[in-house]
Amino acid sequence: MSQPSIRLGLVGLGKIACDQHLPAIAGNSRFELVAVADPTHRLDGVRGYAGLAEMLAGEAGSLDAVALCTPPAVRVSLAREAIAAGLDVLLEKPPAAAPTQAEALAQLATRAGVTLYAAWHSRESEAVEAARAWLANRSITAVHITWREDVRQWHPGQDWLLAKGGFGVFDPAINAFSILTEILPSGICVEGAQLEMPANRQSPTDAQVQMRCSTGAPIIADLSILHPGDQQWDIVVHTADGELVLRQGGHRLEIDGALRLEASNDEYPRIYRRFADLIDRRASSADASPLALVADALLLGTVTTGPDFEF
C-alpha cells in the first residue's frame, strides 16, 4: 500500500534551499511541495508568500509540514508558529540560536504531538556512520579538527552570517561539531577558545577551540572562514589502535592512511527520507549537542578584534 504524500511548505529560498532542499524534495515521492515563503524570492510553478504567517493563512488545511531554511536568528519564532498550526517541522542546522531555545522547541513539539527534526546534514554521510562504528569500542587519545573555507565562495553577500546570532565561523564549523558528537563514544566539553572578530562585525571569522573528551583526550579545532586556498574539512582521531581521518566534510574515510570509504553526496536526500520516517512514526529527533559546543565556545572564548571585513 502506497503511503500518503506529505504536503510541504518551504520557508526561506536562499542558497541552501535552492542547492540542496529543492532537489532533495523533488527526488522524494513522499513530499509534495505546495508553497514557498520568502520575502524576496519566488519559485516558478509553486505558490509563493512573503512569510510563514501569510503561507499558513493562504494554505490553511493544505499543509502537513514545513522545512525552515531561514537564518538561525529567526528560526525559533517560525518553528513555534508552525508547531502551533499543528505542522511537522524540519529545521536546517543549527536548529536554533541557543541550546535553551532548541530544548524549548523540542518540549513544545512533544506537547503538540508533532514531529520536530533538527537536521544535521553532515551526519548523514555513510563515511560518518562507518567512522562511528570503527570508533565505538576504541580508546581515543587525541582529536584534531581543521575546518577552513572561504566565506565569499559559500556565503556570498550573506551579511546575516556575521551579524549578532549569525554564528560566523561556527556556521560551517558546527558541521564538524555535529560529526564529532556523532562519532565519538564519549561526551565532550569545551575548555576554552580564541575568537577573532572583524571590527565591523558581530560574529567571529576565525577560532581556535580547546575541548576534551569525558575520558580525558584533548580535542583541538582550527576554524576559519577567511581561507583563500584549498578548502579543508578534516577530522583526525588518534586512538590506541590507529588513526582515523574523515576528510572532505565527512565524505572520505581513511584508516591508518588507507582509504576505507568514499561516500556519495546524498546527505539531503537522506535527510528527507529520515523526515518522512519520523513523521510516519510520529517521532522526533532534536539533538542540540553540536549547538551546545558552539554556545560554550562563544561563552568561554577570548575575543580579539581583527580588520574590517566586507564581502
Side-chain angles (χ1 to χ4, degrees):
M1 182 179 295
S2 62
Q3 295 172 299
S5 294
I6 300 166
R7 299 169 299 177
L8 184 71
L10 183 66
V11 183
L13 200 59
K15 182 174 172 57
I16 193 66
C18 293
D19 290 352
Q20 300 291 350
H21 286 263
L22 289 178
I25 294 165
N28 190 317
S29 61
R30 288 297 308 282
F31 290 94
E32 175 192 355
L33 183 59
V34 172
V36 169
D38 189 284
T40 57
H41 299 96
R42 294 291 181 268
L43 186 65
D44 289 345
V46 179
R47 291 189 292 277
Y49 298 90
L52 176 60
E54 292 84 355
M55 185 168 74
L56 294 177
E59 300 294 337
S62 300
L63 290 174
D64 302 307
V66 293
L68 302 183
C69 305
T70 64
V74 299
R75 206 166 285 155
V76 170
S77 61
L78 295 173
R80 289 197 194 104
E81 198 174 348
I83 291 169
L87 301 180
D88 300 313
V89 178
L90 184 155
L91 299 166
E92 242 299 343
K93 61 86 185 169
T100 54
Q101 293 178 349
E103 181 180 353
L105 278 184
Q107 294 174 358
L108 188 63
T110 297
R111 290 197 297 270
V114 302
T115 290
L116 181 69
Y117 178 29
W120 300 103
H121 67 85
S122 293
R123 288 180 174 177
E124 296 299 325
S125 168
E126 290 178 331
V128 171
E129 289 182 5
R132 179 182 182 181
W134 192 85
L135 291 170
N137 298 307
R138 285 180 164 83
S139 175
I140 311 298
T141 58
V143 181
H144 193 275
I145 299 168
T146 305
W147 221 258
R148 302 179 67 82
E149 63 181 58
D150 182 359
V151 68
R152 291 184 176 93
Q153 176 179 342
W154 300 102
H155 294 278
Q158 295 182 13
D159 286 299
W160 64 264
L161 188 137
L162 289 169
K164 184 177 181 180
F167 285 71
V169 69
F170 291 107
D171 180 79
I174 202 170
N175 292 325
F177 292 175
S178 74
I179 294 172
L180 191 70
T181 51
E182 182 75 2
I183 66 175
L184 292 192
S186 63
I188 304 164
C189 69
V190 176
E191 295 189 331
Q194 294 75 48
L195 313 172
E196 182 167 332
M197 192 102 62
N200 63 334
R201 303 288 177 169
Q202 293 178 290
S203 289
T205 56
D206 295 83
Q208 297 283 326
V209 184
Q210 297 82 43
M211 297 176 279
R212 193 170 297 274
C213 297
S214 58
T215 55
I219 304 170
I220 302 296
D222 174 22
L223 317 172
S224 179
I225 53 173
L226 300 183
H227 186 67
D230 293 336
Q231 316 292 278
Q232 187 175 1
W233 304 288
D234 296 343
I235 299 176
V236 181
V237 184
H238 301 278
T239 80
D241 302 311
E243 180 186 88
L244 176 148
V245 182
L246 277 169
R247 301 194 189 278
Q248 299 173 5
H251 288 101
R252 180 184 176 93
L253 174 63
E254 299 172 5
I255 306 291
D256 292 331
L259 176 63
R260 287 289 186 90
L261 177 62
E262 188 116 34
S264 58
N265 188 10
D266 64 345
E267 296 172 355
Y268 279 85
R270 286 166 63 106
I271 280 174
Y272 277 91
R273 290 196 294 270
R274 191 180 298 274
F275 189 33
D277 176 66
L278 288 168
I279 291 172
D280 291 341
R281 295 189 288 110
R282 305 315 307 157
S284 290
S285 176
D287 175 37
S289 57
L291 179 60
L293 293 180
V294 170
D296 286 354
L298 292 171
L299 176 66
L300 298 174
T302 300
V303 179
T304 59
T305 301
D308 285 0
F309 174 84
E310 301 296 344
F311 283 94

